[in-house]
Amino acid sequence: MSIYDFTVRTITGEEQSLSAYKGKTVLIVNTASACGLTPHYKGLQHIYDAYKAEDVVVLGFPCNQFGLQEPGTNEEIASFCDLNYSVTFPMFAKIDVKGDDAHPLYKYLVEAVPAPYRTGDIEWNFVKFLVDANGEVVKQYSARTEPSAIESDIRSLIDNGSIGAAPNTVND
């Protein structure tokens, strides 16, 4: 199983298979418009702009489960993201990311994170999941992790296909 096995609804209401992102490095984030971490949108947009030519995409999933900080409709969320952060990366319909009603994608993400990066939980808005070009979850980042702190892992995935790949060494 990989993220490619899931279908989600775009923020404008169309069904979309995540298989559309095959071969891309993907950063999946649960978002909110009225959170102290909402300025992360700026850093997420920077990542999208800086790396989209290298097949990196950011996917935003609004969620109202944490402090009711995403109360708007999908249309209001899309407008907020455009007007305040000029977001051009794909945004999806508001979902639950934890609990019994969590979207199946998020149930998968939480379980698929490898040790030692697995927390087993979504603690707040702006938790980030990095997915490699094969659709496999490689790392989870806390809500407070600034998007800029993820760039080195994105670069490693682009260049090496993995995070923390051991350098090539020759033993004498």
Side-chain angles (χ1 to χ4, degrees):
M1 179 169 265
S2 75
I3 66 163
Y4 306 143
D5 296 312
F6 296 93
T7 299
V8 292
R9 187 173 303 281
T10 67
I11 203 156
T12 56
E14 296 85 26
E15 290 287 322
Q16 180 178 336
S17 171
L18 291 182
S19 66
Y21 301 105
K22 278 187 179 176
K24 295 183 183 286
T25 299
V26 180
L27 186 63
I28 298 174
V29 187
N30 63 302
T31 63
S33 300
C35 176
L37 300 175
T38 300
H40 280 217
Y41 271 125
K42 182 178 179 182
L44 295 169
Q45 184 63 44
H46 166 76
I47 286 173
Y48 183 63
D49 290 339
Y51 296 100
K52 66 184 171 187
E54 296 180 83
D55 286 330
V56 174
V57 66
V58 175
L59 306 180
F61 288 87
C63 176
N64 195 38
Q65 288 185 284
F66 305 100
L68 303 177
Q69 295 178 344
E70 190 60 280
T73 65
N74 288 324
E75 183 178 83
E76 290 167 337
I77 294 164
S79 177
F80 172 87
C81 289
D82 180 46
L83 291 173
N84 294 285
Y85 294 98
S86 301
V87 167
T88 60
F89 58 82
M91 291 290 294
F92 294 87
K94 188 162 49 172
I95 61 170
D96 283 353
V97 299
K98 65 186 295 177
D100 292 341
D101 295 327
H103 190 283
L105 171 64
Y106 265 82
K107 289 180 181 180
Y108 168 76
L109 291 171
V110 168
E111 292 301 316
V113 178
Y117 308 115
R118 179 185 297 183
T119 68
D121 191 28
I122 308 286
E123 83 268 13
W124 199 251
N125 304 307
F126 292 94
V127 169
K128 300 150 194 83
F129 292 89
L130 189 58
V131 179
D132 70 16
N134 297 314
E136 302 297 322
V137 182
V138 294
K139 197 166 182 182
Q140 178 179 348
Y141 304 87
S142 79
R144 295 199 180 279
T145 301
E146 290 287 338
S148 60
I150 301 170
E151 287 192 67
S152 62
D153 285 343
I154 291 170
R155 173 64 26 210
S156 185
L157 278 178
I158 293 167
D159 294 344
N160 306 315
S162 64
I163 294 177
N168 292 331
T169 58
V170 177
N171 295 328
D172 294 333

